[in-house]
Amino acid sequence: MKDLLEQIKSLRVLVIGDVMLDRYIIGEVSRISPEAPVPVLAVREERSVAGGAANVALNLRSLGANVEAIGWFGQDERGDELVEILGNQEIQVDQSFRFSSVPTISKSRVTASNQQICRVDRESSIDQYHPDLNIVGNLISEKASQADVVIVSDYGKGFVTNQLLALVRENASFLAVDPKPSRLLDYSMPDLLTPNRLEALELAGLSRETRDPFPQEEVVTQIFDKFSPRLLAVTLGGEGMLLAKQGKVECTIPTAAREVFDVSGAGDTVIASLSMALVAGQSFEQAAGFANLAAGVVVGKVGTANVSPEEIIALSS
């Protein structure tokens, strides 16, 4: 494990996708408002963290990699805050990806006693977050070709397009994709595809509303037929992680989590740690075991979180 973590420190990773600012407004509720039948929150803490693809970048950096993030960073206060959060962790953001036409995507979660009361979203429509590849396409190609790993993190907000996927596919030496099936994009031929259970059902053309046991063989067959990934890892929550390659189920790894407080960002942790372990020379099953440990740490924390090498070593011992 220590050798793997040392190898990760030499990797150059490029993250492309829907970056967001996650804000948490935390307090206590002891009364109902006299103005309307709603709770009154006495705020005791406010904090901001990187969300979406930016959280993938933080997960990579927390494990020691050299990281650059590409996404829609608005030229606004929230964009400044997000760039500062990443910069404080030595994650690069090229100023070519600061845009003025629409705001930085942000999500503010209001919580009391670890229960979310509401969420306040600030974002424009999907079609306004498309990058103009006539302007930044050559820059993305250059950065992708120089990276050891390229991770595309699609949260369905518009930055990831078919044209961007094709561009990255041509230039990346190792491409990992976390898909958003509802967008019907061409996620074909990545080195690694990492949907969760519901996303895997959608990618396979099956209903995500089914209450039947997860149809592993059918899902794997359909996804490989449609998208031809080299490797497929499906995160199954408390049931662990399903691994498949060459159109066949390899195995299912049980979860490493000891306690589950919040699954927010667990998928970000999986694609970050799994991708780097594979590029560092681990077998698929070894890399998945490493990713499983990393995700096991993250789900034991409240809110969008990251994992450190020390925490992984502690959980594995």
Side-chain angles (χ1 to χ4, degrees), residues 85-97:
I85 289 169
L86 296 179
N88 288 341
Q89 298 301 318
E90 300 181 323
I91 295 169
Q92 299 177 54
V93 176
D94 193 305
Q95 290 300 305
S96 297
F97 299 96

Side-chain angles (χ1 to χ4, degrees), residues 259-263 296-303 305-308 311:
E259 293 181 287
V260 177
F261 287 106
D262 193 337
V263 297
V297 172
V298 165
V299 298
K301 302 178 181 182
V302 176
N306 309 123
V307 58
S308 69
E311 289 172 316

Side-chain angles (χ1 to χ4, degrees), residues 11-16 19 49-71 73 79-95 98 143 272 306:
L11 295 180
R12 295 165 300 170
V13 188
L14 178 67
V15 179
I16 304 173
V19 296
V49 298
N55 186 53
V56 177
L58 276 185
N59 272 277
L60 293 158
R61 182 63 192 141
S62 69
L63 291 171
N66 302 290
V67 186
E68 181 168 359
I70 288 177
F73 295 89
D80 293 342
E81 189 173 5
L82 182 54
V83 170
E84 182 179 5
I85 289 169
L86 296 179
N88 288 341
Q89 298 301 318
E90 300 181 323
I91 295 169
Q92 299 177 54
V93 176
D94 193 305
Q95 290 300 305
R98 297 297 305 271
K143 292 178 182 295
N306 309 123

Side-chain angles (χ1 to χ4, degrees), residues 22-284:
D22 281 352
R23 299 196 66 244
Y24 291 89
I25 302 165
I26 303 164
E28 298 295 334
V29 172
S30 59
R31 64 191 180 97
I32 301 298
S33 171
E35 302 165 357
V38 294
V40 175
L41 183 80
V43 177
R44 57 178 172 79
E45 179 186 355
E46 294 187 56
R47 59 187 175 90
S48 297
V49 298
N55 186 53
V56 177
L58 276 185
N59 272 277
L60 293 158
R61 182 63 192 141
S62 69
L63 291 171
N66 302 290
V67 186
E68 181 168 359
I70 288 177
W72 193 283
F73 295 89
Q75 291 182 349
D76 52 19
E77 185 177 335
R78 289 184 290 275
D80 293 342
E81 189 173 5
L82 182 54
V83 170
E84 182 179 5
I85 289 169
L86 296 179
N88 288 341
Q89 298 301 318
E90 300 181 323
I91 295 169
Q92 299 177 54
V93 176
D94 193 305
Q95 290 300 305
S96 297
F97 299 96
R98 297 297 305 271
F99 303 100
S100 60
S101 55
V102 290
T104 306
I105 296 169
S106 70
K107 300 181 182 300
S108 299
R109 296 167 176 86
V110 181
T111 64
S113 303
N114 290 334
Q115 298 294 317
Q116 191 173 136
I117 297 173
C118 70
R119 193 178 84 181
V120 181
D121 291 1
R122 293 181 175 89
E123 61 187 273
S124 294
S125 60
I126 287 176
D127 59 0
Q128 293 185 287
Y129 287 100
H130 290 179
D132 187 344
L133 296 183
N134 292 320
I135 297 174
V136 296
N138 288 339
L139 184 59
I140 292 174
S141 296
E142 180 183 347
K143 292 178 182 295
S145 66
Q146 293 172 351
D148 298 304
V149 182
V150 178
I151 295 177
V152 173
S153 178
D154 187 5
Y155 270 78
K157 300 302 180 181
F159 195 84
V160 180
T161 63
N162 280 330
Q163 293 77 13
L164 186 144
L165 285 165
L167 186 69
V168 174
R169 194 181 296 118
E170 289 176 10
N171 291 280
S173 59
F174 184 97
L175 173 61
V177 176
D178 192 356
K180 193 72 170 179
S182 59
R183 299 199 58 219
L184 301 176
L185 295 181
D186 180 11
Y187 298 113
S188 62
M189 301 184 69
D191 293 284
L192 174 65
L193 192 64
T194 63
N196 61 29
R197 178 199 297 267
L198 297 180
E199 290 166 346
L201 288 168
E202 284 191 81
L203 288 174
L206 303 174
S207 172
R208 59 186 290 159
E209 304 300 329
T210 180
R211 296 182 180 274
D212 297 329
F214 187 71
Q216 294 187 5
E217 300 289 346
E218 184 178 3
V219 166
V220 167
T221 298
Q222 291 293 335
I223 289 177
F224 274 85
D225 285 349
K226 292 179 179 179
F227 302 104
S228 303
R230 185 166 68 86
L231 301 171
L232 172 67
V234 181
T235 53
L236 299 172
E239 295 175 30
M241 190 186 310
L242 180 150
L243 308 182
K245 62 182 178 181
Q246 298 179 337
K248 304 289 185 184
V249 175
E250 290 282 299
C251 62
T252 299
I253 300 178
T255 182
R258 293 173 180 170
E259 293 181 287
V260 177
F261 287 106
D262 193 337
V263 297
S264 300
D268 298 340
T269 304
V270 167
I271 196 169
S273 50
L274 181 53
S275 299
M276 291 194 296
L278 287 167
V279 173
Q282 299 288 295
S283 71
F284 192 18

